[in-house]
Amino acid sequence: MAEFGKKAYTLEDPYVVENPYLINPLCALVLFKTDASVAPTVTIKGKRFAREDMSHTFAAGTTHMLPILGLYADFANTVVISLPDGSSKAITIKTAAVPADVCKCTSISTSADYLQDNFMFLTPAGKNQPTAYDYKGDIRWFLTENTMFDIKRAQNGNILTGSSRFCRMPYNSTGLVELNMLGKIHKEFRLPGNYHHDQFEMEDGNLLILTQDFHRDTCEDMCVLVDRNTGEILKSWDYKTFLPQDVAGSGSQDPHDWFHNNAVWYDKPTHSLTFSGRHQDAIVNINYDTSELNWIVGDPEGWPQEMVDKYFFTPVGDVENFDWQYEQHACLITPEGDVMCFDNGQYRAKKKENYITNPENFSRGVRYRIDTKKMEIEQVWQYGKERGQEFFSAYICNVEYYADGHYMIHSGGIGMENGYASDKLGAFLSSADPTAEIRSVTVEEKDGIVLYEMETEGNFYRAEKLTIYHDGDNAIFGAGQLLGNLDVTPEFDTVAEAEEVEEQPDVWHNIIIEEDEDRFVFHGKFEPGTLVMICMEGKEENHQYFVNTSAVFHLAMCSGAFLEDDDRDVKMNISKEGLQGRFHIKLVINEKKYDTGISVYCP
Amino acid sequence: MIQEINTEAYDGMEKSGPMMVEFYSKKCGPCKMLSFVLKAIDKLNPDFRIYTIDFDENQELKERLGVTGFPTMLLMNDGVETSRLKGLQQKPAIIKAIEDIM
């Protein structure tokens, strides 16, 4: 902005900043002034035909700071800026090729008429990047930061998605971020229990965010309502208050991750919340105000009879072709009151002896009509069962409802080994393994006809069809805000006895300490079983943290973004919350206490 | 008192009264950390008997006692297990478990 202020930039000689926020290489800002107040139009010229041109007209003014979005990669893009008086300026913006770790589209079948000015945005399930594809499968947007899990457009046009800032394994990030398509992060809503999987914007702009309480021995079993302006937690829901934890476990359940909440939906007509719990094969609906259980959609086998009698549904209609959902994702309530989800189908049974193997299994989008008076359920639509294992995703994925009969089904977690659906989650398959194939298939169907199908490399958590421009403010400026707070990182009350040495740890350990405004992340390489402690020594106080170097197996891995290629690489987040002063960082590695030579300041 | 024992010593020892049996592995960072926690507890309560057993070298015993991972602490009274703590624990949790059997 300072540069823009130095000179009188005009339409003929605009100031052009490519990738202004450093994380979106396929965008630019064009800045200039006009004498009169005018409404400029930006046109990003199509690569092939005029009908591929993408235009957006901005609000009238004399100072114009126009986001240029949806540029083609590795291409000399022509961008035309035109004014209502007929004057225009064409500029060329040459972009670089997309990095190798950005997943390419491998096939797409749709039309420009169908997709119009929408792109399909996919959010990563691994170390791939959030990426958007046009109707030809060309990449038109991607971020070099691994923002993850759900992505939704807010009412103000910004997008809401998970922060890329690691906090806790396996995939908990510091919070939810609100950013625009340029990659400008306006707000991060930090949570003591971190963010995972999903969020939902309420009508008043406040946010439902999935989280947990790390001070207890379970995870992914809480939801909070967060004030959009302050980040304050206004209300919370604890699923342990309305669900038993030791019943009806899915094949992936363990006592720690007993519910595995992967979606939240607020339904205004019934003033209720619906949660998807992968590890109980259950979609659960509660009263928003009282947390009282209303109903559960799922196979009733394994649930206490009194709960089956009160909360579960009986299938009606074409019961021959009725299937319950198993280990599902992305529940939603349609305007008609129906329940939809992506039925991953993992195990597709409650009892181990009845489990279906992945090559014999299927995944699908499904819509159930429920009658909460008669407690009856009818399956009224499905897509994907007929495709068998080739559409099977053991994890992640979503469905979208556009209108009655018009849906998106995103099977983003397909993983094959030797041509068969793998027993491993995609996050654990290696792209370097020639027998393994990891892919993502997104389908849109209207009235039974497939109008869109895209296959990409890699696994993607969710798909969301969005226009790149919106009718609100596409380029809000000003300092970003860190709202809410992180938790105090639990310390270890015993200090390992170790010989204090003046030397630094061996370079093999590759010790890196990242510092943010609100936390540190410690990285190092250790053989499994090494005793490691981080000791922060200050004038007034000391703090010590145990670092677990043991290999940990995760039953669920909805995002592998934080997984390390080498099991010996460990990382640990230490929040600055609760710390004050300057600290010298020392490191216990087995019997020695090393001086890292690094000191940090916590205001 | 902290004492390293093996299967033979466990089977032959006097088990009356309260005690703790901890299974550890030399390949386990949390077990190494736990050894310092147990030392600190031993300083606070030197009369309480803590026995440590190598998980990897005492396969039959760990199976007999249903120990599947490490570190695992078995709290016992008169040779009968009354509770167990799995994984690395901090002092307060272990002290509480000990107080419960004293």
Side-chain angles (χ1 to χ4, degrees):
Chain A
M1 296 306 291
E3 183 61 34
F4 180 50
K6 285 180 186 170
K7 186 178 155 186
Y9 289 98
T10 63
L11 175 65
E12 273 309 304
D13 179 26
Y15 180 46
V16 179
V17 188
E18 294 173 21
N19 191 6
Y21 297 102
L22 309 176
I23 63 169
N24 175 1
L26 300 183
C27 77
L29 262 178
V30 172
L31 304 94
F32 61 94
K33 291 184 179 181
T34 51
D35 294 333
S37 178
V38 293
T41 296
V42 163
T43 301
I44 291 93
K45 302 294 283 183
K47 207 173 193 176
R48 290 158 283 258
F49 321 108
R51 67 190 173 100
E52 293 179 331
D53 292 357
M54 194 171 62
S55 293
H56 185 79
T57 299
F58 294 87
T62 55
T63 297
H64 307 282
M65 296 185 283
L66 310 180
I68 309 300
L69 299 167
L71 298 173
Y72 293 95
D74 196 18
F75 188 66
N77 291 268
T78 301
V79 177
V80 177
I81 299 156
S82 50
L83 302 184
D85 65 4
S87 60
S88 67
K89 168 74 177 176
I91 56 176
T92 300
I93 301 174
K94 176 78 179 75
T95 52
V98 293
D101 59 351
V102 175
C103 294
K104 317 295 183 298
C105 169
T106 47
S107 76
I108 189 162
S109 173
T110 190
S111 67
D113 286 343
Y114 175 70
L115 207 58
Q116 299 186 354
D117 56 354
N118 290 292
F119 296 151
M120 190 63 76
F121 287 73
L122 304 185
T123 54
K127 291 191 181 299
N128 44 346
Q129 309 297 335
T131 309
Y133 306 83
D134 69 8
Y135 85 105
K136 290 292 268 186
D138 282 332
I139 292 171
R140 304 292 292 276
W141 179 93
F142 71 96
L143 297 182
T144 51
E145 282 288 309
N146 200 317
T147 56
M148 58 165 106
F149 285 123
D150 186 29
I151 182 169
K152 288 193 182 96
R153 171 156 271 156
Q155 295 165 72
N156 64 8
N158 289 333
I159 53 177
L160 296 162
T161 191
S163 162
S164 61
R165 296 200 302 148
F166 162 78
C167 226
R168 271 182 189 245
M169 291 300 283
Y171 41 59
N172 297 291
S173 68
T174 49
L176 182 72
V177 290
E178 178 175 349
L179 70 161
N180 66 18
M181 288 293 183
L182 288 164
K184 157 78 177 177
I185 297 175
H186 298 287
K187 292 177 181 176
E188 179 176 317
F189 301 93
R190 298 172 298 178
L191 292 168
N194 300 164
Y195 162 84
H196 66 87
H197 286 97
D198 200 16
Q199 71 279 345
F200 187 97
E201 186 189 30
M202 301 292 280
E203 211 168 65
D204 62 4
N206 290 339
L207 299 164
L208 294 168
I209 306 177
L210 298 186
T211 187
Q212 58 238 306
D213 179 356
F214 288 119
H215 296 278
R216 56 190 198 176
D217 58 359
T218 57
C219 67
E220 300 180 27
D221 52 5
M222 291 182 77
C223 177
V224 290
L225 178 71
V226 171
D227 186 291
R228 184 65 166 277
N229 297 313
T230 66
E232 182 190 355
I233 294 174
L234 303 172
K235 188 171 169 62
S236 65
W237 293 266
D238 176 1
Y239 311 162
K240 285 183 174 181
T241 63
F242 54 82
L243 284 174
Q245 291 96 64
D246 54 353
V247 301
S250 77
S252 297
Q253 192 196 48
D254 67 81
H256 179 62
D257 193 6
W258 64 276
F259 188 65
H260 194 93
N261 182 202
N262 56 33
V264 54
W265 189 270
Y266 172 72
D267 183 51
K268 192 178 176 189
T270 55
H271 192 45
S272 67
L273 291 173
T274 305
F275 301 114
S276 163
R278 178 182 189 247
H279 291 181
Q280 286 193 327
D281 300 318
I283 298 172
V284 174
N285 180 271
I286 62 163
N287 181 293
Y288 180 93
D289 293 323
T290 65
S291 293
E292 193 182 345
L293 201 52
N294 291 324
W295 49 255
I296 298 174
V297 168
D299 184 343
E301 186 173 351
W303 290 84
Q305 192 58 47
E306 63 273 21
M307 290 191 74
V308 174
D309 295 341
K310 200 169 175 185
Y311 303 118
F312 282 76
F313 294 91
T314 302
V316 295
D318 184 8
V319 293
E320 290 289 308
N321 292 306
F322 181 94
D323 291 296
W324 292 113
Q325 87 288 346
Y326 295 88
E327 299 214 346
Q328 76 290 325
H329 283 75
C331 61
L332 62 87
I333 306 295
T334 72
E336 299 86 357
D338 294 349
V339 180
M340 286 181 68
C341 71
F342 187 90
D343 169 19
N344 298 76
Q346 172 87 323
Y347 303 109
R348 205 163 282 288
K350 301 299 286 187
K351 284 186 180 161
K352 201 168 185 176
E353 57 267 34
N354 298 329
Y355 285 175
I356 306 291
T357 64
N358 292 350
E360 295 170 322
N361 211 333
F362 62 90
S363 296
R364 60 182 182 147
V366 64
R367 180 174 173 179
Y368 298 114
R369 182 147 299 148
I370 56 170
D371 182 332
T372 54
K373 287 196 174 70
K374 295 180 181 170
M375 293 307 284
E376 291 176 347
I377 186 167
E378 183 180 4
Q379 183 178 297
V380 294
W381 168 84
Q382 64 174 329
Y383 175 91
K385 182 176 181 178
E386 66 286 358
R387 296 181 67 163
Q389 64 165 334
E390 63 138 322
F391 200 65
F392 177 75
S393 285
Y395 73 140
I396 61 175
C397 311
N398 68 308
V399 289
E400 294 284 322
Y401 171 100
Y402 299 129
D404 194 16
H406 190 189
Y407 315 111
M408 179 230 278
I409 314 99
H410 169 69
S411 188
I414 299 169
M416 311 290 277
E417 278 184 300
N418 297 307
Y420 294 97
S422 172
D423 288 335
K424 295 181 199 143
L425 298 182
F428 297 124
L429 289 172
S430 168
S431 56
D433 179 354
T435 68
E437 189 189 352
I438 310 162
R439 62 175 183 252
S440 167
V441 174
T442 309
V443 173
E444 291 200 358
E445 185 196 81
K446 191 174 185 190
D447 301 326
I449 297 169
V450 172
L451 297 172
Y452 177 97
E453 176 158 343
M454 177 175 72
E455 182 179 303
T456 68
E457 302 165 336
N459 278 178
F460 284 96
Y461 184 76
R462 279 197 184 192
E464 188 81 18
K465 188 169 69 175
L466 299 170
T467 58
I468 195 113
Y469 287 103
H470 59 87
D471 293 336
D473 190 344
N474 284 272
I476 300 167
F477 296 93
Q481 292 177 279
L482 272 177
L483 301 173
N485 63 281
L486 300 176
D487 204 356
V488 174
T489 302
E491 295 185 37
F492 210 81
D493 60 8
T494 306
V495 181
E497 292 164 21
E499 178 197 354
E500 191 132 4
V501 293
E502 288 188 4
E503 64 202 85
Q504 294 199 342
D506 191 286
V507 291
W508 180 84
H509 290 298
N510 196 26
I511 305 297
I512 295 169
I513 298 172
E514 277 181 81
E515 183 175 6
D516 284 349
E517 195 176 322
D518 55 353
R519 54 81 178 262
F520 314 98
V521 182
F522 169 85
H523 300 259
K525 183 192 286 285
F526 304 97
E527 291 296 344
T530 305
L531 170 63
V532 179
M533 274 199 105
I534 300 166
C535 302
M536 295 179 64
E537 298 183 354
K539 272 187 181 168
E540 306 290 325
E541 53 192 65
N542 295 332
H543 300 273
Q544 50 270 335
Y545 306 90
F546 173 72
V547 181
N548 192 355
T549 58
S550 301
V552 178
F553 177 71
H554 301 284
L555 285 169
M557 185 49 71
C558 298
S559 172
F562 299 143
L563 278 180
E564 301 289 356
D565 293 334
D566 187 335
D567 281 349
R568 297 173 299 179
D569 289 332
V570 299
K571 54 184 173 288
M572 181 175 185
N573 175 79
I574 299 175
S575 165
K576 287 185 181 176
E577 199 79 29
L579 305 180
Q580 198 165 29
R582 182 161 293 282
F583 297 96
H584 204 64
I585 300 183
K586 294 186 177 178
L587 196 61
V588 171
I589 303 176
N590 288 329
E591 70 283 356
K592 287 188 176 175
K593 189 178 198 178
Y594 297 90
D595 188 341
T596 65
I598 293 170
S599 64
V600 293
Y601 179 69
C602 304
Chain B
M1 178 220 47
I2 301 177
Q3 187 182 342
E4 168 95 22
I5 58 170
N6 59 17
T7 302
E8 193 181 359
Y10 174 83
D11 286 339
M13 76 184 188
E14 170 61 47
K15 297 188 182 70
S16 63
M19 65 178 193
M20 176 198 286
V21 175
E22 185 238 347
F23 281 84
Y24 73 93
S25 169
K26 290 171 185 153
K27 299 174 287 188
C28 157
C31 300
K32 290 173 185 167
M33 191 67 232
L34 183 61
S35 71
F36 293 105
V37 181
L38 294 180
K39 271 187 199 172
I41 287 171
D42 184 53
K43 274 185 188 164
L44 296 172
N45 193 351
D47 293 333
F48 182 71
R49 291 180 295 156
I50 300 173
Y51 298 102
T52 60
I53 299 177
D54 189 323
F55 179 95
D56 303 303
E57 291 181 3
N58 294 274
Q59 296 287 330
E60 186 276 328
L61 178 62
K62 61 112 173 162
E63 282 171 22
R64 196 192 327 153
L65 296 178
V67 175
T68 54
F70 46 77
T72 300
M73 290 165 274
L74 308 182
L75 282 304
M76 294 180 159
N77 216 335
D78 295 334
V80 178
E81 180 186 337
T82 56
S83 64
R84 69 172 60 191
L85 295 170
K86 291 180 179 177
L88 177 60
Q89 306 283 333
Q90 302 230 39
K91 270 186 289 192
I94 300 172
I95 289 169
K96 184 179 180 308
I98 292 170
E99 283 171 354
D100 286 347
I101 58 163
M102 294 296 276

